[in-house]
Structures are given as C-alpha cells and as structure tokens.
Amino acid sequence: MKTQNLFKHYPKGELHVHLNGLVSTDIVRKLLHQEYTSIPPGFDLNQDLVILTPARNLETYLKPWEVLRLIPKSRANLAMIVDNAFSNLKEQNIQFVELRSSVLYLSKLNNVDVETALSWLIDEIKNASSKYKIKAGLILTVSRGNFACTHLSALLEAFKNLDRPDFVVGIDLAGYEDTTSPLELGYLFEKAKNDFGLNITIHAGETGNAGNILDAIVRFKADRIGHGTAAYKSAAVMELLQKNDICVEVCPISNRRTGAIEENEKHPVVEFIKLGVPFVICSDNPSIHASGLSDDYLCFYNETENLEHLQNMFEKQKKYSFIKGLT
Ligand SMILES: [Zn+2]
C-alpha cells in the first residue's frame, strides 16, 4: 500500500509516531551492516523489519524492535536516522510532529550518559526540523515494567540538567499493558506534570482492557490516550474521555496490524464519532507498516466513510498537540 491517495496532499500534524518506527527499512539495514551489528538468531532482515499483515499478538508485532534497538551506534548515524525520518514526514505533507523516543537505549548503545544522549537527540531533531521546515517536539517514552520508575527518573534528571528544554513537550508510557509497574509510577508522572509542565500521553486500552484507560486518566493524569481501542467497552470511560476533552490518538493501520482489533470487528473510532470522544489520526510506526500517515487517513476513511473528520483533522491535530504556538 504505497502512498498515492488523495489524502497525501492534506496538511497534517503527527501526534503519535515513534522515531525508530519512522525510519525507512533500507536505512535500518544499511546502519546494521555499517555498524557490524550481530543480528539475533532467526531474524530475517528481508522479512522481519516490516509487519504487513495482522500479527498474532502485540509481542509478534514488536519483532522489528529486536534489531531497531541495536542502532545507531554513533551520533552521525543518529543524525542519518532523524534526517530520514523527517524526509518521510515531508513526503506526507506533515507540518508538525511530536516524535517519541525512549532515549535510554541511545545512551547505552553509545556509551554516553542520558543527558548527552538527550542533547544529541534534541539537536538532531532541531537540525532536521529547520532543514525540512517541519515544527517538532520530543516526547520521552518510558516502558512499563519493574524499571519504569528508575528510567523515568533518569530521563527527568537529564531533562533538568539540560535546563528543562521547551522542546521536550511530554512523557509517554508504552509497552505490554499486562506488565506490572511499581505503584509509585503514577505519582511520578503526576509530579513531572506539576513540577515541569510536561504533558502526558499513555498507551492504554490497546490490548483490550478499558480499565487501563481509566488508570491512565485517574492515576497518570493523562492529557491524551494512545490507541484507546478498548474505550468503547466501558460507558464510564467513554464519558470520562468526552467530558474531560481527553483526545485519543487513533492509529488505524497499527490497530489492525497489532491485532488490537480483530479482522471481523469494526474499528471503535466509529463509537468515538457517535459519542463525541475527541480523537486524532496518527501513524504509530509507519515504516514498519510500509505506509505513511496518508494511508492511515485512507484506512480511517474505509472504516468510517467519514470525510468531514479528515477535512477538519489538521485543526484538531493543532488543538490537541503538546507543541505550543501552532498556527
Ligand atoms: Zn505507539
């Protein structure tokens, strides 16, 4: 599904995209080769970097990250990744982007402290942002699990040491939703919001549990929800999203490829439209899907036959963006 559709020319904002899911697979292969990276046994570089059909589960969908987390091993190669990511955004007529990265893997791979890795990433995104004339902000992603608090604290410490750059617009929680994280993680997210003015988005309700969305709103003080596909299962959650104007980042292609929505099921965005739950269309990991944000627009259109929402999408993306001063 390459991007020749009528939505390609619509001006767009991207509110949910992971940096390493945006870099083209040819660049990934090139860097793996150039950096002499040993490929995990059983990983086929010709097939396993993309997910083109619905995966059995989220774990299968995450296969490409077995190698994506092994690059880049130099600042120059990070620059190449970021430049390629912006070139892909430009091709989709994206005017502003909130890029997500967990940063910590960059620090480990390159043997530098978290502060240095964060400053590299910010500088490279700023360079590409001005080269491609795409406004940008960075969202720091933390994965669920035992080390979530330690990782978030390390990221926030680096953020503080760099004098709290405005360029970092939010924090995000991702990873397997059934994994337990330390109880104080919600408190840490809330504290980051209160102390540093960071916005919060949480991957929640992607694996079928509406309770995780409730948790994201109540405990983590989420401003937006990533995916939120299980929201429709709870009237209380739908009401909470609608009344508090909490925007759901709907990723139509991703939701089908991860298996978040069964093939014979309707996409729950239909219910969001019916009940006035705010949402924006996003691409999540377009290069893994061999697609672009325009394809997500097309997928949404095929699911809903609703053109009006797509015509107003850019205004909504601006409204719910964490980047200030978008016009
Ligand atoms: Zn995501």
Side-chain angles (χ1 to χ4, degrees):
M1 172 154 97
K2 256 305 172 198
T3 51
Q4 280 307 326
N5 70 49
L6 76 132
F7 301 117
K8 197 168 176 185
H9 303 292
Y10 280 30
K12 304 173 194 72
E14 172 65 271
L15 275 57
H16 185 143
V17 68
H18 300 267
L19 174 62
N20 51 19
L22 178 58
V23 59
S24 302
T25 49
D26 55 344
I27 298 288
V28 173
R29 279 188 208 98
K30 182 176 163 177
L31 293 186
L32 286 166
H33 179 73
Q34 191 196 312
E35 294 180 349
Y36 303 106
T37 306
S38 31
I39 308 301
F43 194 96
D44 183 343
L45 278 181
N46 293 318
Q47 282 179 24
D48 296 340
L49 277 174
V50 286
I51 303 288
L52 302 178
T53 53
R56 280 195 307 282
N57 50 40
L58 198 56
E59 200 173 358
T60 321
Y61 173 84
L62 293 174
K63 176 117 183 149
W65 279 267
E66 286 179 17
V67 298
L68 287 173
R69 61 169 170 254
L70 305 177
I71 53 165
K73 293 198 193 84
S74 71
R75 178 162 181 172
N77 287 350
L78 173 65
M80 194 190 291
I81 284 178
V82 174
D83 188 271
N84 173 260
F86 272 80
S87 154
N88 289 341
L89 293 168
K90 194 78 186 172
E91 209 178 286
Q92 299 291 320
N93 200 16
I94 288 169
Q95 314 276 313
F96 66 90
V97 61
E98 296 176 13
L99 267 177
R100 296 175 191 220
S101 172
S102 64
V103 183
L104 294 182
Y105 79 102
L106 280 177
S107 120
K108 282 192 198 111
L109 276 179
N110 290 279
N111 236 340
V112 295
D113 57 27
V114 181
E115 192 181 316
T116 305
L118 180 58
S119 73
W120 283 5
L121 188 58
I122 290 176
D123 289 346
E124 293 309 338
I125 295 176
K126 277 186 179 167
N127 288 342
S129 166
S130 88
K131 176 178 167 187
Y132 290 94
K133 298 187 174 49
I134 297 173
K135 285 184 186 139
L138 176 63
I139 294 179
L140 307 175
T141 293
V142 174
S143 286
R144 289 178 166 90
N146 291 338
F147 296 106
C149 288
T150 319
H151 290 169
L152 178 57
S153 301
L155 286 170
L156 293 175
E157 194 57 35
F159 169 75
K160 269 194 289 184
N161 291 341
L162 292 173
D163 292 331
R164 309 175 185 191
D166 287 347
F167 199 75
V168 178
V169 294
I171 47 178
D172 164 40
L173 184 64
Y176 301 114
E177 287 183 45
D178 297 334
T179 308
T180 47
S181 304
L183 265 180
E184 64 268 31
L185 186 60
Y187 166 75
L188 276 185
F189 266 77
E190 186 179 2
K191 194 170 172 350
K193 184 174 192 164
N194 293 337
D195 293 356
F196 306 131
L198 288 168
N199 296 286
I200 294 174
T201 175
I202 307 281
H203 283 72
E206 191 183 7
T207 49
N209 186 350
N212 289 342
I213 303 172
L214 190 64
D215 209 37
I217 299 169
V218 176
R219 271 209 317 136
F220 289 79
K221 312 295 175 201
D223 299 291
R224 297 195 317 240
I225 298 291
H227 301 293
T229 40
Y232 77 99
K233 294 179 181 175
S234 161
V237 167
M238 291 291 267
E239 196 179 328
L240 207 54
L241 291 167
Q242 190 264 331
K243 288 225 167 109
N244 291 288
D245 201 20
I246 296 172
C247 180
V248 180
E249 301 150 5
V250 170
C251 309
I253 295 178
S254 174
N255 294 157
R256 293 286 177 193
R257 304 278 166 93
T258 58
I261 304 164
E262 299 288 335
E263 265 170 283
N264 55 0
E265 244 181 314
K266 263 196 170 249
H267 196 292
V269 73
V270 176
E271 296 301 315
F272 297 169
I273 294 172
K274 226 186 270 174
L275 296 175
V277 170
F279 67 90
V280 287
I281 301 296
C282 312
S283 69
D284 203 12
N285 298 298
S287 293
I288 304 298
H289 309 143
S291 66
L293 186 54
S294 316
D295 299 306
D296 283 278
Y297 277 40
L298 184 62
C299 184
F300 168 85
Y301 180 72
N302 290 336
E303 303 260 11
T304 62
E305 291 183 14
N306 188 315
L307 195 57
E308 199 190 325
H309 274 273
L310 292 174
Q311 284 163 340
N312 299 325
M313 190 50 62
F314 189 42
E315 290 310 310
K316 278 174 69 187
Q317 287 159 336
K318 284 192 260 189
K319 177 181 173 187
Y320 292 103
S321 174
F322 295 158
I323 301 172
K324 291 195 184 86
L326 293 170
T327 48

Coordinates of all heavy atoms in Angstrom, one line a residue, residues 226-289:
G226 N -3.0 7.0 24.0 CA -2.5 6.3 22.8 C -3.4 5.1 22.5 O -3.5 4.3 23.4
H227 N -3.9 5.0 21.3 CA -4.8 3.9 20.9 C -6.1 3.9 21.5 O -7.1 4.1 20.8 CB -4.0 2.5 21.1 CG -2.7 2.5 20.4 ND1 -2.7 2.5 19.0 CD2 -1.5 2.4 20.8 CE1 -1.4 2.4 18.6 NE2 -0.6 2.4 19.7
G228 N -6.3 3.5 22.8 CA -7.5 3.6 23.5 C -8.6 2.7 22.8 O -9.8 3.0 23.0
T229 N -8.2 1.7 22.1 CA -9.2 0.9 21.3 C -10.2 0.2 22.2 O -11.3 -0.1 21.7 CB -8.5 -0.1 20.4 OG1 -7.4 -0.7 21.1 CG2 -8.0 0.5 19.2
A230 N -9.9 0.0 23.5 CA -10.9 -0.7 24.4 C -11.9 0.2 25.0 O -12.8 -0.2 25.7 CB -10.1 -1.5 25.5
A231 N -11.7 1.5 24.8 CA -12.6 2.5 25.5 C -14.1 2.2 25.3 O -14.9 2.4 26.3 CB -12.3 3.9 25.0
Y232 N -14.5 1.8 24.1 CA -15.9 1.6 23.8 C -16.5 0.5 24.7 O -17.8 0.5 24.8 CB -16.1 1.2 22.4 CG -15.7 -0.2 22.0 CD1 -16.7 -1.2 22.0 CD2 -14.4 -0.6 21.9 CE1 -16.4 -2.5 21.7 CE2 -14.1 -1.9 21.6 CZ -15.0 -2.8 21.5 OH -14.7 -4.1 21.3
K233 N -15.7 -0.3 25.4 CA -16.2 -1.4 26.2 C -16.8 -0.8 27.5 O -17.4 -1.5 28.3 CB -15.1 -2.4 26.6 CG -14.7 -3.2 25.3 CD -13.6 -4.2 25.7 CE -13.1 -4.9 24.5 NZ -12.0 -5.8 24.9
S234 N -16.5 0.4 27.9 CA -16.9 1.0 29.2 C -17.6 2.4 28.9 O -16.9 3.3 28.5 CB -15.7 1.2 30.1 OG -16.0 2.1 31.1
A235 N -18.9 2.5 29.2 CA -19.6 3.7 29.1 C -18.9 4.8 30.0 O -18.9 6.0 29.6 CB -21.1 3.5 29.4
A236 N -18.5 4.4 31.2 CA -17.9 5.3 32.1 C -16.6 5.9 31.5 O -16.4 7.1 31.6 CB -17.6 4.7 33.4
V237 N -15.8 5.1 30.9 CA -14.5 5.6 30.3 C -14.8 6.5 29.1 O -14.2 7.6 28.9 CB -13.7 4.4 29.8 CG1 -12.5 4.8 28.9 CG2 -13.1 3.6 31.0
M238 N -15.8 6.1 28.3 CA -16.2 7.0 27.1 C -16.6 8.4 27.6 O -16.3 9.4 27.1 CB -17.3 6.3 26.3 CG -16.9 5.1 25.6 SD -15.8 5.4 24.2 CE -16.9 5.6 22.8
E239 N -17.4 8.4 28.7 CA -17.9 9.6 29.3 C -16.8 10.5 29.8 O -16.7 11.7 29.6 CB -18.9 9.3 30.4 CG -19.8 10.5 30.7 CD -20.8 10.2 31.8 OE1 -21.3 9.1 31.9 OE2 -21.1 11.2 32.6
L240 N -15.8 9.8 30.5 CA -14.7 10.5 31.1 C -13.8 11.2 30.0 O -13.4 12.3 30.1 CB -13.8 9.5 31.8 CG -13.0 9.9 33.0 CD1 -13.8 10.7 34.0 CD2 -12.3 8.7 33.6
L241 N -13.6 10.4 28.9 CA -12.8 11.0 27.7 C -13.5 12.2 27.1 O -12.9 13.2 26.9 CB -12.6 9.9 26.7 CG -11.7 8.7 27.0 CD1 -11.9 7.6 26.0 CD2 -10.3 9.1 27.1
Q242 N -14.9 12.0 26.9 CA -15.6 13.1 26.3 C -15.7 14.3 27.2 O -15.4 15.4 26.8 CB -17.0 12.5 25.9 CG -17.8 13.4 25.0 CD -18.8 14.2 25.8 OE1 -19.3 13.8 26.9 NE2 -19.1 15.4 25.3
K243 N -16.1 14.1 28.5 CA -16.3 15.2 29.4 C -15.0 16.0 29.7 O -15.0 17.2 29.9 CB -16.9 14.7 30.7 CG -18.4 14.3 30.5 CD -19.2 14.9 31.7 CE -20.7 14.7 31.4 NZ -21.3 13.7 32.2
N244 N -13.9 15.3 29.8 CA -12.6 15.9 30.1 C -11.8 16.3 28.9 O -10.7 16.8 29.0 CB -11.8 15.0 31.0 CG -12.4 14.9 32.4 OD1 -12.4 15.8 33.2 ND2 -13.0 13.7 32.6
D245 N -12.5 16.1 27.7 CA -11.8 16.5 26.4 C -10.4 15.9 26.3 O -9.5 16.5 25.9 CB -11.7 18.1 26.4 CG -11.6 18.6 24.9 OD1 -11.9 17.8 24.0 OD2 -11.1 19.7 24.8
I246 N -10.3 14.6 26.6 CA -9.1 13.9 26.5 C -9.1 13.2 25.1 O -9.9 12.4 24.8 CB -9.0 12.8 27.6 CG1 -8.9 13.5 29.0 CG2 -7.7 11.9 27.4 CD1 -8.9 12.6 30.2
C247 N -8.1 13.6 24.3 CA -8.0 13.1 22.9 C -7.4 11.7 22.8 O -6.4 11.5 23.4 CB -7.2 14.2 22.2 SG -7.0 13.8 20.5
V248 N -8.0 10.9 22.0 CA -7.5 9.6 21.7 C -6.6 9.6 20.4 O -7.1 10.2 19.4 CB -8.6 8.5 21.6 CG1 -8.0 7.1 21.3 CG2 -9.4 8.5 22.9
E249 N -5.4 9.1 20.5 CA -4.6 9.1 19.3 C -4.9 7.7 18.6 O -4.4 6.7 19.0 CB -3.1 9.1 19.7 CG -2.7 10.3 20.5 CD -1.6 10.1 21.5 OE1 -1.0 9.0 21.6 OE2 -1.3 11.1 22.3
V250 N -5.7 7.9 17.6 CA -6.2 6.7 16.9 C -5.2 6.3 15.7 O -4.9 7.2 14.9 CB -7.6 6.9 16.3 CG1 -8.0 5.8 15.3 CG2 -8.6 7.1 17.4
C251 N -4.7 5.1 15.7 CA -3.7 4.7 14.7 C -4.3 3.5 13.9 O -4.1 2.3 14.3 CB -2.4 4.2 15.4 SG -1.8 5.5 16.6
P252 N -5.1 3.8 12.9 CA -5.9 2.8 12.2 C -5.1 1.6 11.7 O -5.6 0.5 11.9 CB -6.6 3.5 11.1 CG -6.6 5.0 11.5 CD -5.3 5.2 12.3
I253 N -4.0 1.8 11.0 CA -3.3 0.7 10.4 C -2.6 -0.1 11.5 O -2.7 -1.3 11.6 CB -2.2 1.2 9.4 CG1 -3.0 1.8 8.2 CG2 -1.3 0.0 8.9 CD1 -2.1 2.4 7.1
S254 N -2.0 0.6 12.5 CA -1.4 -0.1 13.6 C -2.4 -1.0 14.3 O -2.1 -2.1 14.7 CB -0.8 0.9 14.6 OG -0.3 0.3 15.7
N255 N -3.5 -0.5 14.6 CA -4.6 -1.2 15.4 C -4.9 -2.5 14.7 O -5.3 -3.5 15.3 CB -5.8 -0.4 15.6 CG -5.6 0.8 16.5 OD1 -6.4 1.8 16.4 ND2 -4.6 0.8 17.3
R256 N -4.9 -2.5 13.3 CA -5.2 -3.8 12.6 C -3.9 -4.7 12.6 O -4.1 -5.9 12.8 CB -5.5 -3.5 11.1 CG -6.9 -2.7 11.0 CD -8.0 -3.6 11.2 NE -9.3 -2.9 11.2 CZ -10.5 -3.5 11.6 NH1 -10.5 -4.7 12.1 NH2 -11.6 -2.8 11.5
R257 N -2.8 -4.1 12.5 CA -1.5 -5.0 12.4 C -1.2 -5.6 13.7 O -0.6 -6.6 13.8 CB -0.4 -4.1 11.8 CG -0.6 -3.5 10.5 CD -0.4 -4.5 9.3 NE -1.0 -3.9 8.1 CZ -0.3 -3.2 7.2 NH1 1.0 -2.9 7.4 NH2 -0.9 -2.7 6.1
T258 N -1.5 -4.8 14.8 CA -1.1 -5.4 16.2 C -2.1 -6.4 16.6 O -1.9 -7.2 17.6 CB -1.1 -4.3 17.3 OG1 -2.4 -3.7 17.3 CG2 0.0 -3.3 17.0
G259 N -3.3 -6.4 15.9 CA -4.4 -7.3 16.3 C -5.2 -6.7 17.5 O -6.0 -7.4 18.1
A260 N -5.0 -5.4 17.7 CA -5.8 -4.7 18.8 C -7.3 -4.8 18.4 O -8.2 -4.9 19.3 CB -5.4 -3.3 18.9
I261 N -7.6 -4.9 17.1 CA -8.9 -5.0 16.6 C -8.9 -6.2 15.7 O -8.1 -6.3 14.8 CB -9.4 -3.8 15.8 CG1 -9.3 -2.6 16.7 CG2 -10.9 -3.9 15.4 CD1 -9.3 -1.3 16.0
E262 N -9.9 -7.1 15.9 CA -10.0 -8.3 15.1 C -10.4 -8.0 13.7 O -11.1 -7.0 13.5 CB -11.0 -9.3 15.7 CG -10.7 -9.8 17.1 CD -9.6 -10.8 17.2 OE1 -9.4 -11.4 16.1 OE2 -8.9 -10.9 18.2
E263 N -10.1 -8.9 12.7 CA -10.4 -8.6 11.4 C -11.9 -8.4 11.1 O -12.3 -7.6 10.3 CB -9.8 -9.7 10.5 CG -8.5 -9.3 9.9 CD -7.8 -10.5 9.2 OE1 -7.3 -11.4 9.9 OE2 -7.9 -10.5 8.0
N264 N -12.7 -9.1 11.8 CA -14.1 -9.0 11.6 C -14.8 -8.0 12.4 O -16.0 -7.8 12.4 CB -14.8 -10.4 11.8 CG -14.5 -11.0 13.2 OD1 -13.8 -10.3 13.9 ND2 -15.0 -12.1 13.5
E265 N -14.0 -7.2 13.2 CA -14.6 -6.2 14.1 C -14.5 -4.8 13.5 O -13.6 -4.6 12.7 CB -13.7 -6.1 15.4 CG -14.2 -6.5 16.7 CD -13.2 -6.3 17.8 OE1 -12.0 -6.7 17.6 OE2 -13.5 -5.7 18.8
K266 N -15.5 -4.0 13.8 CA -15.5 -2.6 13.3 C -14.5 -1.8 14.2 O -14.3 -2.1 15.4 CB -16.8 -2.0 13.5 CG -17.7 -2.0 12.3 CD -18.9 -1.0 12.5 CE -19.5 -0.9 11.2 NZ -19.6 0.1 10.3
H267 N -13.8 -0.8 13.6 CA -12.9 0.0 14.4 C -13.8 0.8 15.4 O -14.7 1.5 15.0 CB -12.1 0.9 13.5 CG -10.9 1.5 14.2 ND1 -11.0 2.4 15.3 CD2 -9.6 1.2 14.1 CE1 -9.8 2.7 15.7 NE2 -8.9 2.0 15.0
P268 N -13.4 0.8 16.7 CA -14.2 1.6 17.7 C -14.2 3.1 17.5 O -15.0 3.8 18.1 CB -13.5 1.2 19.0 CG -12.2 0.6 18.7 CD -12.3 0.1 17.3
V269 N -13.4 3.6 16.5 CA -13.4 5.0 16.3 C -14.9 5.4 15.8 O -15.3 6.6 16.0 CB -12.4 5.4 15.2 CG1 -12.7 5.0 13.8 CG2 -12.1 6.9 15.3
V270 N -15.6 4.5 15.3 CA -17.0 4.7 14.9 C -17.8 5.1 16.2 O -18.6 6.1 16.1 CB -17.6 3.4 14.3 CG1 -19.1 3.6 14.0 CG2 -16.8 3.0 13.1
E271 N -17.5 4.5 17.3 CA -18.2 4.8 18.6 C -17.7 6.2 19.1 O -18.4 7.0 19.7 CB -17.9 3.8 19.6 CG -18.5 2.4 19.3 CD -20.0 2.4 19.1 OE1 -20.7 3.1 19.9 OE2 -20.4 1.8 18.1
F272 N -16.4 6.5 18.9 CA -15.9 7.8 19.3 C -16.6 8.9 18.6 O -17.0 9.9 19.2 CB -14.4 7.9 19.0 CG -13.5 6.9 19.7 CD1 -12.1 6.8 19.3 CD2 -13.9 6.2 20.7 CE1 -11.3 5.9 20.0 CE2 -13.1 5.3 21.4 CZ -11.8 5.2 21.0
I273 N -16.9 8.7 17.3 CA -17.6 9.7 16.5 C -19.0 9.9 17.0 O -19.4 11.0 17.3 CB -17.6 9.3 15.0 CG1 -16.2 9.3 14.4 CG2 -18.5 10.2 14.2 CD1 -16.1 8.8 13.0
K274 N -19.6 8.7 17.3 CA -21.0 8.8 17.7 C -21.2 9.5 19.1 O -22.1 10.2 19.3 CB -21.5 7.3 17.9 CG -22.9 7.0 17.3 CD -23.3 5.6 17.6 CE -22.9 4.7 16.5 NZ -23.2 3.2 16.9
L275 N -20.2 9.3 20.0 CA -20.4 9.8 21.3 C -19.5 11.1 21.6 O -19.5 11.6 22.7 CB -20.0 8.7 22.4 CG -20.9 7.5 22.4 CD1 -20.4 6.5 23.4 CD2 -22.3 7.9 22.8
G276 N -18.9 11.6 20.5 CA -18.2 12.9 20.7 C -16.9 12.7 21.5 O -16.5 13.7 22.1
V277 N -16.3 11.6 21.4 CA -15.0 11.4 22.1 C -13.9 12.0 21.1 O -13.9 11.6 20.0 CB -14.7 9.9 22.4 CG1 -13.2 9.7 22.8 CG2 -15.6 9.4 23.4
P278 N -13.1 13.0 21.6 CA -12.2 13.6 20.7 C -11.1 12.6 20.2 O -10.6 11.8 21.1 CB -11.6 14.8 21.5 CG -11.9 14.5 22.9 CD -13.1 13.6 22.9
F279 N -10.7 12.7 19.0 CA -9.6 11.8 18.5 C -8.8 12.5 17.4 O -9.3 13.4 16.7 CB -10.1 10.5 18.0 CG -11.0 10.6 16.8 CD1 -10.4 10.4 15.5 CD2 -12.4 10.8 16.9 CE1 -11.2 10.5 14.4 CE2 -13.1 10.9 15.8 CZ -12.6 10.8 14.5
V280 N -7.6 12.0 17.2 CA -6.8 12.5 16.0 C -6.3 11.2 15.4 O -6.2 10.1 16.0 CB -5.6 13.4 16.4 CG1 -6.1 14.8 16.8 CG2 -4.7 12.8 17.5
I281 N -6.0 11.3 14.1 CA -5.4 10.1 13.3 C -3.9 10.2 13.3 O -3.4 11.3 13.0 CB -6.0 10.1 11.9 CG1 -7.5 10.0 11.9 CG2 -5.4 8.9 11.1 CD1 -8.1 8.7 12.4
C282 N -3.3 9.1 13.7 CA -1.8 9.1 13.8 C -1.3 7.8 13.1 O -2.1 6.9 12.8 CB -1.3 9.1 15.3 SG -2.2 10.4 16.3
S283 N 0.1 7.7 13.0 CA 0.6 6.5 12.2 C 1.4 5.5 13.1 O 1.6 4.4 12.6 CB 1.4 7.0 11.1 OG 2.6 7.6 11.6
D284 N 1.8 5.9 14.3 CA 2.5 5.0 15.2 C 3.9 4.5 14.7 O 4.9 5.0 15.2 CB 1.6 3.8 15.5 CG 1.9 3.1 16.8 OD1 2.7 3.7 17.6 OD2 1.4 2.0 17.1
N285 N 3.9 3.6 13.7 CA 5.2 3.1 13.2 C 5.1 2.9 11.7 O 5.1 1.8 11.2 CB 5.5 1.8 13.9 CG 5.7 1.9 15.4 OD1 6.6 2.6 15.8 ND2 4.8 1.3 16.1
P286 N 5.0 4.0 10.9 CA 4.6 3.9 9.5 C 5.6 3.0 8.7 O 5.1 2.3 7.8 CB 4.6 5.3 9.0 CG 5.3 6.1 10.0 CD 5.1 5.4 11.3
S287 N 6.9 3.1 9.0 CA 7.8 2.3 8.2 C 7.7 0.8 8.4 O 7.9 0.0 7.5 CB 9.3 2.7 8.4 OG 9.4 4.0 7.9
I288 N 7.3 0.4 9.7 CA 7.0 -1.0 10.0 C 5.8 -1.5 9.2 O 5.7 -2.6 8.8 CB 6.7 -1.1 11.5 CG1 7.9 -0.5 12.3 CG2 6.5 -2.6 11.9 CD1 9.2 -1.2 12.2
H289 N 4.9 -0.5 8.9 CA 3.7 -0.9 8.1 C 3.9 -0.7 6.6 O 2.9 -0.9 5.9 CB 2.5 0.0 8.6 CG 2.3 0.0 10.1 ND1 1.9 1.1 10.8 CD2 2.5 -0.9 11.0 CE1 1.8 0.9 12.1 NE2 2.2 -0.4 12.3

